[in-house]
Amino acid sequence: MVDVIVIGAGVSGCAIARELSRYDASVCVLEKCEDVCEGTSKANSAIVHAGFDADEGSLMAKLNVKGNEMMDDLSRDLDIPFKRNGSMVVCIHKEELDGLKTLYDRGVKNGVKGLKILSREEALEMEPNLSENVEGALYAPTGGIICPFELTIAMAENASVNGVEFRFNTKVEDIKKGEDGLWHIRTNNGEYVSRYVVNAAGVHADEIHNMVSADKMHIIERRGDYCLLDKQVGNYVSHTIFPQPTKFGKGVLVTPTVHGNLLVGPTAIDIENKEGTATTAAGINELTAKASENVRNLPMRNVITSFAGLRAHLERHEFVIEEVKDAPCFIDVAGIESPGLSASPAIGQMVADMLKEKMSLIPKDNWIGTRKGITRTEGLSVEEMNELIKKNPAYGTIVCRCESITEGEILDAIHRPLGARSLDGVKRRTRAGMGRCQAGFCSPRTMEILNRELGLSYEEITKSGGRSNIVIERTKGEV
Ligand SMILES: Cc1cc2nc3c(=O)[nH]c(=O)nc-3n(C[C@H](O)[C@H](O)[C@H](O)COP(=O)(O)OP(=O)(O)OC[C@H]3O[C@@H](n4cnc5c(N)ncnc54)[C@H](O)[C@@H]3O)c2cc1C
């Protein structure tokens, strides 16, 4: 029996777990996949939104602005990259200039600092590759870019170091309130019992909610397709360039990523499929056409991969973070669509505050609030590199040529708390396989390391858990 079970190890679940780890309570995270950050948290625009989009007074607005403000300290404490590159909402039709003023006013009411409406000339001076049709722009200096994998993984690692248990490959199948007054959670890996449950299951949060409540919830999966472009064109724009928002969301953006690529997307297509993350040619054509309205001569020849993520959209378009009325001690964290990544630190704090109050939780005096990330070799001088190799020769072997990732970094990713067990696990922690060749070169080498370090046979090694095995069987016997 534990005090709290959190269902889902996405950015919401991991933020909640980290905040709860401050207190003297037993906490366990159940995740159906083999690693953290396998749901929507791995496929989004990676923007820390300023907070002018969401309606004034909404929970979305409040948590977005707060989460944004928390990001500087959090990224420093968890040793993850975060950059306030600033964002621009571009207007290309004179008759829509009023829309910028509406966004500006909403942003000011939401508490967003430093907003400014730019003239055509000012906008073009800041971003020379904007469309020639630009009429004006809303500039938000607090907008930022982050790595969603590193944010989620770092919060999970920190929670784990502070005593939170993570159970992977553990899918919640049913939840019942027992006669003992506790929650009995049936999974494919046995039963778990807890006093409180937090439902942070992303697009599956409706299924989990509907297991305990008569007031049914319905999440619509809203797919967003993306193209990721090579680092060669990573500086094509330096701010995050948005069009004016519509009722389907913030629209197709063009942005540098915190690791120096260029990202274009997403589309917004409602589907009824919780696993529907395949991109389509129509989606890619649409995002290319829309992005080209705001940014001229987009270098789409430099696309290195495409992917799609699913927004957990609720009809009311609002975060639902509350105790379920007909299921006391069960807290929903549902409808966490954009700006959920930006808001995640504030979501974690809000849920921990709710539970602190309900359970009279007492802060631990030995809580560790910081975490040291993987030692990166990128950007080191020859002298620094030599020093590192002297201490550990594994830093002298390059495994991923595109991103210059060394064996030392991969070993660190495997052996740290909640370490990588699959190719994608290594990729998201180190960037080995994220580059131009998309793991064509380094996969066999990373497999050798996983085989050697974890004692996994080649047939057992997967791309991302489940049945994503790479090697099915040997075609020749041992020589
Ligand atoms: C196209 C797109 C663009 C976006 N862009 C941005 C952006 O730029 N900035 C921003 O702030 N936000 C953005 N978002 C929103 C952001 O990505 C999400 O709000 C956030 O990732 C949601 O995190 P989560 O933890 O709630 O859900 P998820 O990351 O989906 O995590 C839920 C977890 O629950 C697990 N799970 C589900 N069912 C079960 C079960 N039965 N048992 C056990 N585990 C289960 C899943 O495997 C998953 O790991 C975007 C979203 C999309 C789709």
Side-chain angles (χ1 to χ4, degrees):
M1 205 277 284
V2 294
D3 292 321
V4 186
I5 281 201
V6 179
I7 303 171
V11 74
S12 305
C14 293
I16 294 163
R18 175 173 186 264
E19 285 297 329
L20 281 175
S21 75
R22 292 174 186 270
Y23 301 101
D24 209 357
S26 49
V27 180
C28 178
V29 180
L30 304 181
E31 168 54 56
K32 71 181 169 69
C33 297
E34 64 102 36
D35 200 354
V36 305
C37 204
E38 287 277 355
T40 299
S41 301
K42 77 173 177 196
N44 51 60
S45 310
I47 307 301
V48 175
H49 292 293
F52 51 77
D53 279 289
D55 289 342
E56 185 197 348
S58 65
L59 193 55
M60 258 185 189
K62 196 176 125 201
L63 296 179
N64 183 165
V65 174
K66 188 167 176 207
N68 179 305
E69 282 169 5
M70 292 168 77
M71 223 43 111
D72 295 291
D73 286 351
L74 188 68
S75 57
R76 186 202 55 225
D77 289 350
L78 298 183
D79 196 14
I80 56 171
F82 167 54
K83 185 175 173 192
R84 288 199 189 274
N85 64 323
S87 62
M88 290 166 80
V89 179
V90 171
C91 177
I92 53 165
H93 300 294
K94 241 193 188 108
E95 62 277 14
E96 288 171 4
L97 277 170
D98 284 353
L100 295 184
K101 178 74 172 74
T102 308
L103 285 179
Y104 174 90
D105 289 342
R106 195 189 297 155
V108 169
K109 285 180 191 150
N110 287 350
V112 181
K113 297 194 182 89
L115 288 172
K116 188 175 176 218
I117 294 185
L118 306 177
S119 66
R120 167 187 161 79
E121 291 70 30
E122 287 172 319
L124 280 167
E125 199 183 321
M126 282 170 72
E127 274 303 346
N129 282 327
L130 286 184
S131 157
E132 289 181 5
N133 299 329
V134 62
E135 295 286 352
L138 174 68
Y139 173 56
T142 56
I145 45 182
I146 198 157
C147 172
F149 319 127
E150 286 178 77
L151 172 64
T152 310
I153 290 165
M155 291 194 292
E157 269 183 36
N158 193 224
S160 158
V161 164
N162 284 297
V164 173
E165 297 282 334
F166 283 77
R167 296 279 180 271
F168 295 112
N169 299 311
T170 302
K171 181 178 179 185
V172 173
E173 295 172 339
D174 196 19
I175 307 175
K176 292 260 178 306
K177 195 67 168 273
E179 284 177 6
D180 50 10
L182 301 171
W183 290 110
H184 290 250
I185 299 149
R186 179 164 61 77
T187 77
N188 59 328
N189 265 333
E191 187 182 85
Y192 290 78
V193 180
S194 68
R195 293 170 63 202
Y196 283 81
V197 170
V198 178
N199 167 20
V203 291
H204 296 271
D206 53 351
E207 293 169 352
I208 301 289
H209 167 97
N210 295 341
M211 289 175 189
V212 301
S213 175
D215 184 11
K216 299 302 178 196
M217 178 187 279
H218 178 58
I219 284 176
I220 300 157
E221 297 80 45
R222 182 167 284 175
R223 197 187 77 218
D225 299 13
Y226 288 93
C227 285
L228 184 73
L229 279 65
D230 192 63
K231 283 182 170 174
Q232 231 176 24
V233 292
N235 293 330
Y236 201 71
V237 294
S238 57
H239 301 86
T240 301
I241 309 299
F242 293 101
Q244 298 220 32
T246 68
K247 69 175 173 119
F248 283 104
K250 300 176 191 68
V252 175
L253 57 80
V254 180
T255 186
T257 71
V258 79
H259 288 295
N261 293 83
L262 192 74
L263 184 66
V264 184
T267 52
I269 303 159
D270 286 352
I271 56 171
E272 292 281 335
N273 179 358
K274 293 194 187 296
E275 312 299 329
T277 53
T279 52
T280 62
I284 303 293
N285 290 338
E286 183 190 325
L287 70 87
T288 306
K290 287 193 168 154
S292 302
E293 288 176 8
N294 299 317
V295 178
R296 68 180 93 171
N297 304 327
L298 261 179
M300 295 302 279
R301 283 171 51 198
N302 295 74
V303 171
I304 58 172
T305 188
S306 62
F307 62 91
L310 300 177
R311 303 170 184 87
H313 178 65
L314 286 172
E315 200 63 52
R316 57 199 265 208
H317 187 53
E318 172 62 310
F319 292 164
V320 174
I321 304 179
E322 60 191 21
E323 188 168 15
V324 177
K325 286 196 181 65
D326 59 348
C329 306
F330 187 102
I331 293 173
D332 274 336
V333 180
I336 310 298
E337 52 185 312
S338 186
L341 185 71
S342 321
S344 58
I347 292 175
Q349 209 172 66
M350 177 177 170
V351 175
D353 283 350
M354 285 164 77
L355 288 170
K356 177 187 170 198
E357 172 120 358
K358 285 182 169 299
M359 302 169 73
S360 306
L361 297 178
I362 297 165
K364 287 176 189 161
D365 45 22
N366 58 349
W367 186 70
I368 301 162
T370 56
R371 162 251 187 206
K372 174 86 186 81
I374 289 173
T375 302
R376 307 281 172 188
T377 54
E378 189 188 13
L380 293 187
S381 65
V382 174
E383 292 74 30
E384 288 167 329
M385 202 61 200
N386 283 341
E387 197 54 37
L388 194 60
I389 295 168
K390 219 186 281 168
K391 282 191 205 137
N392 182 350
Y395 287 101
T397 305
I398 298 281
V399 176
C400 167
R401 291 196 300 202
C402 302
E403 296 288 314
S404 298
I405 307 298
T406 64
E407 183 171 347
E409 287 157 277
I410 295 177
L411 291 175
D412 191 350
I414 292 173
H415 293 300
R416 57 181 35 237
L418 304 182
R421 297 183 56 80
S422 65
L423 287 182
D424 278 0
V426 170
K427 178 171 85 173
R428 290 194 201 111
R429 285 166 178 80
T430 63
R431 293 188 57 74
M434 290 266 188
R436 190 177 299 170
C437 90
Q438 287 288 297
F441 176 79
C442 62
S443 285
R445 284 154 191 84
T446 306
M447 286 175 75
E448 277 171 28
I449 300 173
L450 286 165
N451 162 264
R452 186 185 73 214
E453 297 298 316
L454 296 177
L456 294 171
S457 71
Y458 284 96
E459 291 86 341
E460 284 171 321
I461 296 171
T462 62
K463 182 173 182 317
S464 57
R467 294 173 63 196
S468 63
N469 308 69
I470 293 137
V471 175
I472 304 301
E473 61 182 50
R474 284 177 186 273
T475 53
K476 290 182 183 165
E478 300 289 341
V479 192

